Amino acid sequence: MEKILISACLVGDNTRFDGGNNLLPNLAELNQFCDLVPFCPEVQGGLDTPRQPAEIKRGIVRTELGVDLTQYYLEGAKKAYSLCRFLGIRTAILKENSPSCGVHKIHNGNFDGKLIDGMGITASYLKSKGLRVLSEADLGEFLADLQERRARREAFLERQAQWQEEQKQKASQGNERQEKRDFSTSHHHTHGGDKPHFGKKPSSGKPKGEYGQKRDSRPATNKAYARKPFQGKGGPRRFDSRKNTDKTNE
């Protein structure tokens, strides 16, 4: 799953300035799509929990008593980016209104509770490095996008599996046809084809006789070999073609 950097307070870690957290109600749904990597820039930058609240004014982060904490916030931002580079993270979900994690809104720096358009130190730094930076206010749209991407991926995998199954069936049918052809060819060579049958001489292909006519194996007729008519007791017999019988010549 894709790794996402997320403010530690949004997953239930007690890292807020007052020691509390900002646990997301739809965290479980988000965790189904992403591998969440909790991170608190203020704590990682060297600040304690709980701590004095701080706000940004003219690019400087100060407490209500005027203590400059900018270096801690910058250190936390750099560490956040280093972690993203190490893990290949391209998206961060950060806590809105925070002097470090605010994405769309931050406090105006007068500690009067009013918000203005602006970004926290870490959010601004990550965005300048090309990361996609979101707040919890953007989570609904982000989840819808993740669901659509998963649906497209599952549809693609289903089509791919169906195509692979069709290719297997075609290959199986092709193998069956080839086996039938091989069997038919083998059967032809074994029981017929160019092989002569037993007990029958193959034809030489030459014409019978010298000129293609049937030779007469009988010797030439002459006086020495001429047949004599058959003579019985009643004398020579002749053949009557009309009655198809032999009659004695009386």
Side-chain angles (χ1 to χ4, degrees):
M1 288 191 296
E2 180 184 2
K3 287 182 172 57
I4 300 292
L5 187 76
I6 187 169
S7 294
C9 62
L10 295 178
V11 299
D13 291 352
N14 296 322
T15 55
R16 275 174 52 95
F17 73 94
D18 58 0
N21 64 72
N22 301 100
L23 178 64
L24 291 172
N26 49 1
L27 180 66
E29 184 179 1
L30 178 62
N31 208 19
Q32 292 178 359
F33 297 96
C34 308
D35 186 6
L36 302 178
V37 181
F39 187 86
C40 179
E42 297 174 15
V43 173
Q44 296 300 324
L47 297 175
D48 296 330
T49 302
R51 55 188 174 274
Q52 289 294 316
E55 296 182 3
I56 303 175
K57 191 170 186 178
R58 299 187 181 90
I60 304 299
V61 184
R62 291 188 175 90
T63 65
E64 191 172 6
L65 299 177
V67 179
D68 188 348
L69 302 177
T70 307
Q71 60 177 341
Y72 298 101
Y73 281 74
L74 288 174
E75 183 66 19
K78 293 177 181 179
K79 287 184 177 181
Y81 178 63
S82 296
L83 181 62
C84 290
R85 287 189 59 188
F86 180 74
L87 297 178
I89 294 174
R90 303 300 305 168
T91 303
I93 300 175
L94 305 177
K95 179 68 183 75
E96 193 67 279
N97 306 334
S98 166
S100 60
C101 297
V103 177
H104 306 293
K105 298 286 185 178
I106 56 174
H107 290 278
N108 61 9
N110 297 324
F111 296 92
D112 57 6
K114 295 181 180 179
L115 299 172
I116 59 174
D117 294 336
M119 299 186 73
I121 300 297
T122 298
S124 179
Y125 189 80
L126 293 180
K127 186 176 181 179
S128 69
K129 296 298 183 179
L131 272 73
R132 181 185 183 186
V133 181
L134 307 172
S135 75
E136 71 270 27
D138 305 315
L139 196 54
E141 184 179 352
F142 182 62
L143 283 172
D145 181 57
L146 291 176
Q147 291 172 352
E148 183 179 355
R149 286 163 56 186
R150 172 176 285 186
R152 289 197 304 265
R153 183 169 60 251
E154 290 177 349
F156 169 77
L157 293 176
E158 184 177 354
R159 290 194 303 269
Q160 187 178 40
Q162 184 178 0
W163 179 83
Q164 290 177 349
E165 184 63 26
E166 290 175 355
Q167 295 303 309
K168 289 180 180 179
Q169 292 178 359
K170 290 180 180 179
S172 177
Q173 292 173 359
N175 292 335
E176 290 178 0
R177 287 194 296 267
Q178 184 63 38
E179 289 176 359
K180 289 180 180 179
R181 286 196 295 266
D182 293 343
F183 175 79
S184 177
T185 303
S186 175
H187 184 76
H188 175 73
H189 288 315
T190 303
H191 300 284
D194 296 334
K195 186 174 180 180
H197 293 291
F198 292 104
K200 181 179 180 181
K201 294 183 179 180
S203 174
S204 63
K206 295 181 179 180
K208 297 180 181 180
E210 186 176 356
Y211 299 101
Q213 298 177 356
K214 184 176 181 181
R215 291 181 178 181
D216 190 352
S217 60
R218 295 179 298 172
T221 305
N222 53 35
K223 292 182 179 181
Y225 293 95
R227 289 185 178 181
K228 295 180 179 181
F230 176 80
Q231 295 181 1
K233 292 181 180 181
R237 303 177 65 185
R238 61 186 179 84
F239 179 76
D240 188 348
S241 60
R242 292 174 297 177
K243 296 183 178 181
N244 197 19
T245 58
D246 289 337
K247 294 184 179 181
T248 303
N249 211 1
E250 295 181 354

